[in-house]
């Protein structure tokens, strides 16, 4: 595994890209956009980049699947509540109302709808053919099925349209996350990543208060929202790790630019 590239190179690389147009962020569920790249989104917005967030699933099964709570709220109620939460989180990150799109595929069952999902992703890419950056779940390293298949499908659609933005792959759902959530929904990848990868870290120290505020907007996930809950959907140890991290990490497969001699 290539070691992380931190510090000067990462900062130079990001500054070189930041003001060049549009970035697309694909999130499997509402709250993944904040967990994986909330600070980076805030940085991009502050730098003048137009950011659009696309949610693959409706998030309606969070309480049923993770906590075994099927009523108060029901999945149908959660779908609408989480949509409102996602819009509030987007505003906190500095995004306008029209920068958020919900594809509304069934939570935990994206694998059953891949043909239609692919068609919707192509619609998104066709609407933003000049996007210079795309953020998505890692198509191999992510363990959760909705996560991995979101990344795999978006990458396939980028190849089909012969688009070549810089792709930033993130990982939310690894073995540690799986253990903390006590929830498994795997759909393993058939093979490894096809390209050499480098791990870069984005310093979000200045954006950490914004990220924390945005995650708090996802109340159904981070609080005791339902009367029957004894723990949040997103476990407290996981929340603590996310909200304490001063960097966000992304795997990139694009060749590394030459390290600049001066800033």
């Amino acid at each position: 595994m290539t070691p992380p590239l931190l510090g000067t190179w990462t900062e130079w690389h990001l500054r070189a890209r930041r003001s060049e147009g549009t970035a697309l962020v694909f999130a499997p569920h509402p709250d993944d956009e904040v967990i994986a790249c909330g600070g980076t989104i805030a940085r991009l917005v502050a730098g003048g980049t137009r950011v659009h967030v696309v949610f693959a699933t409706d998030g309606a099964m969070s309480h049923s699947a993770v906590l075994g709570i099927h009523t108060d709220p029901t999945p149908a109620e959660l779908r609408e509540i989480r949509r409102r939460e996602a819009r509030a989180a987007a505003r906190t990150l500095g995004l306008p109302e029209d920068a958020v799109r919900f594809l509304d595929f069934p939570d935990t069952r994206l694998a059953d709808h891949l043909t239609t999902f692919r068609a919707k992703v192509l619609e998104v890419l066709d609407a933003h053919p000049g996007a210079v950056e795309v953020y998505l779940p890692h198509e191999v390293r992510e363990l959760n099925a909705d996560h991995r298949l979101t990344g795999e499908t978006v990458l396939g659609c980028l190849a089909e349209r012969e688009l070549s933005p810089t792709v930033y792959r993130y990982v939310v759902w690894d073995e540690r996350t799986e253990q903390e959530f006590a929830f498994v929904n795997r759909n393993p990848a058939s093979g490894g990543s096809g390209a050499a990868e480098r791990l870069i870290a984005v310093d979000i120290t200045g954006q950490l208060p914004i990220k924390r505020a945005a995650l708090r907007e996802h109340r159904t996930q981070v609080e005791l929202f339902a009367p029957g809950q004894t723990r949040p959907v997103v476990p407290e140890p996981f929340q603590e790790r996310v909200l304490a991290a001063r960097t966000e990490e992304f795997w990139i497969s694009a060749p590394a630019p030459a390290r600049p001699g001066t800033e």
Side-chain angles (χ1 to χ4, degrees), residues 224-236:
L224 298 180
F225 185 83
Q229 282 185 247
T230 58
R231 52 153 274 203
V233 173
V234 178
E236 290 179 351

Side-chain angles (χ1 to χ4, degrees), residues 24-33 35-37 53-57 110 117 121 134-156 158 167-174 189 193 197 249-252:
L24 299 177
V25 177
F26 287 89
H29 314 94
D31 78 355
D32 289 317
E33 82 290 2
I35 292 169
C37 43
V53 178
V54 181
F55 295 105
T57 75
L110 186 60
F117 177 54
V121 170
V134 174
Y135 295 78
L136 48 77
H138 200 290
E139 76 281 13
V140 175
R141 297 177 187 272
E142 283 276 6
L143 298 183
N144 181 281
D146 287 350
H147 287 235
R148 190 188 68 73
L149 291 170
T150 296
E152 181 181 88
T153 301
V154 175
L155 287 172
L158 287 170
V167 175
Y168 295 84
R169 296 165 167 88
Y170 59 79
V171 177
V172 169
W173 205 278
D174 56 15
S193 179
E197 296 183 318
E249 295 183 341
F250 303 97
W251 292 93
I252 63 170

Side-chain angles (χ1 to χ4, degrees), residues 95-114:
L95 300 178
E97 189 79 7
D98 63 358
V100 179
R101 180 167 178 176
F102 301 91
L103 301 186
D104 283 332
F105 288 93
D107 186 10
T108 74
R109 294 194 294 113
L110 186 60
D112 299 332
H113 302 272
L114 291 182

Side-chain angles (χ1 to χ4, degrees), residues 175-258:
E175 290 184 354
R176 183 175 181 181
T177 303
E178 200 171 67
Q179 292 169 359
E180 289 172 339
F181 273 75
F183 173 69
V184 177
N185 178 29
R186 291 199 185 190
N187 182 314
S190 58
S193 179
E197 296 183 318
R198 293 174 180 266
L199 182 65
I200 66 169
V202 179
D203 183 356
I204 62 163
T205 302
Q207 292 73 38
L208 198 49
I210 298 174
K211 177 171 181 169
R212 289 170 174 166
L215 189 57
R216 285 197 299 271
E217 294 292 350
H218 289 285
R219 292 184 55 234
T220 58
Q221 306 305 294
V222 301
E223 298 180 6
L224 298 180
F225 185 83
Q229 282 185 247
T230 58
R231 52 153 274 203
V233 173
V234 178
E236 290 179 351
F238 180 87
Q239 291 187 46
E240 291 169 1
R241 285 196 290 120
V242 169
L243 297 179
R246 297 185 176 275
T247 61
E248 291 172 341
E249 295 183 341
F250 303 97
W251 292 93
I252 63 170
S253 56

